[in-house]
Amino acid sequence: MTLLKHIPKVDKILEWPGLRELLARHPRPSVLAVVRDVLDTLRVAARAETLGEAELAEAAVTARIERELARLAAPSLRRVVNGTGVVIHTNLGRSPLAVGVRPHLDEIAFGYSNLEFDLDRGERGSRYSHVEKLLCELTGAEAALVVNNNAAAVLLALSALAAGKEVIVSRGELVEIGGSFRIPDVMRQGGAILREVGTTNRTHPRDYRQAVTPETGLLLKVHSSNFAVVGFTAEVPPAELAAIGRESGVPVMADAGSGSLLDLSRFGICGEPTVQEFVAAGIDVITFSGDKLLGGPQAGIIVGRAHFIAPLTKHPLLRALRIDKLTLAALEATLRLYRDERQARAEIPTLRMLTASPDELAARGRAILRRLRRTLPDMLRFALVDGNSQVGGGAYPLLELPTTLVAVDADGRSPQELEERLRRAPVPVIGRIHRGRFLLDCRTLLDDDLPLLVNALRGVAE
Ligand SMILES: *Cc1c(COP(=O)(O)O)cnc(C)c1O
């Protein structure tokens, strides 16, 4: 309790030379707020008798205030280094964009554009026109529309095609994606009535056929996303569902979730249909994300038959769910890369990471190791170990991609301390602890992450 009396007053602190300096660099109200916060923290510590006398020294208090002000001045949304090995990491911003997207994004972001202006006719145009042709060319669909994200795409499609009607879904596909996106809830929000068919593990064509009534508005297939049903299972493939829809005069929609435009089976990533396959199977409306396997910005992409996309383009919800121009610029530039499959694989980070071979990853691991050993002090020790990476983003939940990891040990620091220090670095490095070791997966480290990693590790050694 005695130290409580020694905590300086606000007025006194503001007269310290160090504080005068801070007041010259930061707005006065911010400095005052921080000083009061710091004093509160000191008082709490004093009452709990955890405060040391040294912490009340002028230099210590000033340094604390300065640190806090610097933290407030820095942006909250920041670059981080993803060493987790989860390629499409929802908490870390999902897909990083291809560097080739930057010039287009720059041009549109910092100038005016023909976002909704038809340059040929000199009159109002549509923002959706900029990617529709491209999406049709890439997927083979008749029509396309883009919105804010795939959740919005599903909501819009349900609202426009099935409000007040029944939507038939397999019990094996009533998925919760996380972040409170659950198919039954979205269905209710879209004004549709959920009609479950089949069982958790098996749904047959006859289940759909028997459920169709004059009240049916839509047959819906949902990608199981982040889970898998294994063992005694049956689901109705897209082409068969499309046929049931045609024979009963009901449109068929697929929420493809991640939605890939490339067949990645050559790289061991297989078992899910591409968007083109859904289109070719005759599915009327297909929705998927822009920032999952596609490797672009957050967006919801809708492709399909013109007759069924048209009501979506006229629905009042579209205005609330519409895509923004920065997203549109990044999406168009990303989609253009897909016109040449090899270019897409070479330039889109998500695809490059997913298709990296074990040899390539081992070689990258060795190069990283050399660099770290050369530049960092001896108290940090590095080794390469084998392990597995994950696709993430609700795609291929069971798939384990063989990879090379850098194990980091620091003399006198536990893996937990190491993890925390790297997470608190100026550019945070996020890794994982496995069997008592701190690990960084070479698969998800980008080329320009290396200097950031070196800096963060240097901070650990200090
Ligand atoms: C991820 C996912 C969504 C949501 O997509 P967002 O782009 O995150 O809105 C919807 N459905 C499925 C099946 C998904 O995997």
Side-chain angles (χ1 to χ4, degrees), residues 90 94 148-154 173 175-178 181 183 186 221-226 255-259 287-292 297-301 393-395:
T90 293
R94 288 197 181 156
N148 179 59
N149 59 6
N150 187 31
V154 175
E173 297 175 2
V175 27
E176 172 180 319
I177 314 293
F181 181 91
I183 288 295
V186 178
K221 191 163 184 62
V222 185
H223 183 282
S224 54
S225 197
N226 43 16
D255 170 6
S258 212
T287 74
F288 55 103
S289 290
D291 57 350
K292 291 185 180 172
Q298 178 190 303
I301 303 173

Side-chain angles (χ1 to χ4, degrees), residues 415-426:
Q416 286 72 19
E417 259 180 286
L418 197 55
E419 185 276 334
E420 183 178 342
R421 287 236 179 181
L422 289 173
R423 176 160 46 82
R424 292 181 186 279

Side-chain angles (χ1 to χ4, degrees), residues 29 44 81 89 122 124 156 207 230 318 436:
V44 170
V81 171
H89 198 307
R124 192 192 164 121
L156 176 65
D207 294 322
V230 294
L318 179 59

Side-chain angles (χ1 to χ4, degrees), residues 107-171:
E107 196 165 298
I108 301 307
F110 295 97
Y112 291 104
S113 62
N114 63 336
L115 180 66
E116 291 187 343
F117 187 65
D118 186 326
L119 291 170
D120 288 329
R121 297 195 201 165
E123 57 190 43
R124 192 192 164 121
S126 154
R127 66 176 62 214
Y128 307 107
S129 66
H130 303 291
V131 287
E132 178 167 21
K133 267 216 193 73
L134 198 51
L135 280 167
C136 292
E137 174 195 317
L138 293 171
T139 63
E142 282 174 16
L145 183 65
V146 284
V147 289
N148 179 59
N149 59 6
N150 187 31
V154 175
L155 178 64
L156 176 65
L158 288 172
S159 308
L161 300 173
K165 294 190 186 145
E166 288 187 0
V167 176
I168 303 178
V169 191
S170 159
R171 288 199 170 86

